[in-house]
Each structure stands twice: as C-alpha cells, then as structure tokens.
Amino acid sequence: GAVVSQHPSWVICKSGTSVKIECRSLDFQATTMFWYRQFPKQSLMLMATSNEGSKATYEQGVEKDKFLINHASLTLSTLTVTSAHPEDSSFYICSASGTYSGQGFNSPLHFGNGTRLTVT
Amino acid sequence: KQEVTQIPAALSVPEGENLVLNCSFTDSAIYNLQWFRQDPGKGLTSLLLIQSSQREQTSGRLNASLDKSSGRSTLYIAASQPGDSATYLCAVRPTTSGTYKYIFGTGTRLKVLA
C-alpha cells in the first residue's frame, strides 16, 4: 500500500516552454504533498508544501511564479515549471503524507520515483 | 534551526558485513525520524519510521534506533548484501515547523562489494 505515482519519469523541453509534473497518491488520501529538488549527489531540497484545496507554502528562495503548484484533490498535486531555462534542469521528486492510518504527524512520508527534467 | 547530519558520507564494505549508519540532529523537538533508501535516479523508499516516544524499530535485517535526547539515530544493517547498495537518508519531522515538513540529512552512499 501507500503508492505514490509521479509522471513523467523524464522530460526534455526547450528553453522558454513550460512543463507539468504530476504526483498522484494511488491508494490513500494525501492531505499534504511536498515537492523537492535534488542536485547530483546532494540531498533533497524542499521547494514547497501543498495542502489540498489551499495555496502552497513555498520555501525561502523558491519563486512561486516560476514553480506553480496545484493540489486540487486529495490524490493529485501538480508542479508546473514555467518558462523553463537550462538552470532548471534537475531531478524533481514529490512525496505525500496522508491520514490513511490515522497517525497524524506520525504518518510516514511516501515518495514518487522522481522526474528528470532537462531543459535544452 | 534544525540541522540533520549523516556520517559517513560514503561507505564501501565487503558482502556479509554488519554495518552502522549514523544520523544526528540538532533539535530534539521532533515527532519522528524516518530512514529512507534511494537508488540512483529514483525516488525514496521508506525503510523505518521511529516515533519520538520509541527507541527502535526493526524490519528484517534493518534495525533503527533513536536517542532523542542526544539527537542521534543509527541504522544497523545486518549481513549486508550487494543489493543493499544505495544512498540512505534520514529525515526528522520537527514539532516546531507547524507543518508536516521533514528535514533531510545529506545521506550516506553505501556500496556493498560482492
């Protein structure tokens, strides 16, 4: 159980275009989803936290107009990289925390398989 | 500000060895600590979650301990196998953040040699 599906797994786009990445919780309701960015051989950098039905909370230094996050339902969150540039090339990972087990703050975090974005 | 550190950054061991990965955190006000495994180019797989009131959790060959007062956790891997080769990350969920946010360590890259 507790599967998070992230799509696409990789994408190549031209500079100036926008790319949408989807994150779905397949068998539980994800009240909170997180979006991370990971550089080679580095740990995860939290970009934003999204709660279903409300605006995302962005971490300091993350441009909210560039990285648009929508969490319209309890099973889907999307990250749109707008007007992508080569410096946006990275590995993006989503994770979800749900209340399926009724554990509240002790609900474990489940991750998607990530999306490798390359902007040419 | 909560900071999470993992030592060593990289580790290479022969197959069959028992090994210990270390995680330390600066603020003991946490809900829980979770250990993850990440294979190259993949997302993270949850291994073990230890709640703040717990001392350890076990799953198969893995045992994770938590000493909240000293800000430390260890992940013990028994009888290591080449398939255990991956990056291991620990993360804590602070009580002070007001959200479900986790703070991640820098990871330990493990290589188990056949």
Side-chain angles (χ1 to χ4, degrees):
Chain A
V3 177
V4 175
S5 173
Q6 188 172 340
H7 179 80
S9 56
W10 60 270
V11 58
I12 302 172
C13 71
K14 291 186 177 180
S15 187
T17 61
S18 295
V19 173
K20 181 185 281 188
I21 302 170
E22 292 188 349
C23 181
R24 294 180 183 273
S25 57
L26 297 185
D27 52 0
F28 68 102
Q29 293 184 329
T31 50
T32 305
M33 286 186 171
F34 304 91
W35 288 95
Y36 299 86
R37 185 172 177 174
Q38 187 176 36
F39 294 99
K41 295 188 177 179
Q42 293 190 28
S43 191
L44 283 72
M45 182 193 82
L46 180 65
M47 298 174 67
T49 303
S50 74
N51 293 296
E52 184 266 338
S54 62
K55 289 184 179 180
T57 302
Y58 289 82
E59 295 298 301
Q60 194 172 9
V62 178
E63 299 176 60
K64 61 181 180 182
D65 293 330
K66 180 167 187 61
F67 298 100
L68 300 178
I69 292 172
N70 184 282
H71 192 161
S73 76
L74 282 170
T75 59
L76 174 64
S77 176
T78 60
L79 167 68
T80 301
V81 183
T82 63
S83 187
H85 288 96
E87 57 264 32
D88 298 324
S89 298
S90 193
F91 192 58
Y92 294 87
I93 313 177
C94 72
S95 67
S97 182
T99 57
Y100 64 96
S101 61
Q103 293 178 332
F105 279 114
N106 281 314
S107 294
L109 204 56
H110 301 284
F111 282 82
N113 273 332
T115 297
R116 170 74 57 195
L117 170 63
T118 302
V119 185
T120 61
Chain B
K1 180 186 171 185
Q2 178 73 269
E3 292 184 2
V4 183
T5 306
Q6 290 185 247
I7 294 174
L11 184 62
S12 187
V13 299
E15 182 177 8
E17 267 202 16
N18 301 324
L19 53 100
V20 175
L21 307 182
N22 296 294
C23 172
S24 60
F25 47 97
T26 54
D27 189 342
S28 62
I30 62 172
Y31 286 113
N32 59 60
L33 181 147
Q34 197 165 354
W35 281 94
F36 297 89
R37 166 188 174 136
Q38 184 177 29
D39 293 291
K42 298 290 186 181
L44 279 67
T45 300
S46 177
L47 297 175
L48 291 164
L49 182 149
I50 312 176
Q51 297 182 25
S52 63
S53 58
Q54 297 174 329
R55 290 288 227 170
E56 66 178 346
Q57 284 287 329
T58 298
S59 176
R61 294 183 295 110
L62 305 178
N63 176 277
S65 67
L66 175 64
D67 184 343
K68 200 175 69 160
S69 60
S70 67
R72 292 179 186 173
S73 176
T74 60
L75 178 66
Y76 175 82
I77 303 176
S80 58
Q81 303 170 358
D84 294 329
S85 299
T87 296
Y88 291 81
L89 293 143
C90 69
V92 298
R93 181 170 260 173
T95 62
T96 52
S97 70
T99 71
Y100 285 80
K101 186 161 69 171
Y102 273 87
I103 307 296
F104 279 83
T106 47
T108 294
R109 290 191 306 280
L110 172 66
K111 189 168 186 177
V112 180
L113 306 169

